[in-house]
Amino acid sequence: MGLDVVLYRRVRAGHGRRPSSVAAQVVPDPDDLLLDLLTRVRGGGRTPMLDRIDPLGELVVGPETAPGLLTELRCLAEAARTPAETAQVRRAALLVQRCARERDVEIRFEGD
């Protein structure tokens, strides 16, 4: 199943057209590490934004809320039990940090 973290860049297709989003970087979750971590911390009160993630849907986070998401990812890292889980959170955090710095991007947590 998994929960991929995808950095999308908003690009303009032309004058008068609405911007479209193009995937720029992906942190895949083929072993469900991120999904398992989210299940472990869900409802604890420290990760309200992450608690909204639907494993079969999508949560979009823009640059304005990325700093709060970084705080929640630190809570997720505290719940990690293995080096692989810690590494997965670190990879996701790098994308979120990029989102916080760049104004034309957004993060999407995409379940499948």
Side-chain angles (χ1 to χ4, degrees):
M1 187 164 195
L3 183 69
D4 298 339
V5 183
V6 186
L7 180 79
Y8 280 89
R9 181 167 304 285
R10 290 183 295 270
V11 295
R12 294 212 178 260
H15 182 68
R17 294 188 178 168
R18 294 179 56 165
S20 60
S21 297
V22 177
Q25 195 171 352
V26 178
V27 175
D29 189 27
D31 298 321
D32 295 346
L33 297 173
L34 193 54
L35 194 56
D36 290 346
L37 275 167
L38 288 170
T39 300
R40 204 175 303 150
V41 300
R42 187 174 304 264
R46 296 180 63 201
T47 56
M49 196 176 327
L50 291 173
D51 286 355
R52 293 190 339 238
I53 291 176
D54 177 359
L56 299 176
E58 178 179 83
L59 175 70
V60 179
V61 177
E64 63 283 346
T65 52
L69 182 56
L70 282 170
T71 299
E72 291 188 26
L73 285 173
R74 284 187 208 103
C75 296
L76 207 59
E78 292 170 7
R81 296 179 182 154
T82 67
E85 289 177 341
T86 302
Q88 188 73 358
V89 174
R90 188 176 307 120
R91 286 189 290 272
L94 288 173
L95 288 190
V96 176
Q97 287 170 353
R98 186 172 166 192
C99 181
R101 289 190 311 267
E102 300 176 27
R103 295 295 161 203
D104 63 338
V105 297
E106 65 188 16
I107 294 289
R108 295 184 194 175
F109 289 85
E110 299 179 343
D112 52 22

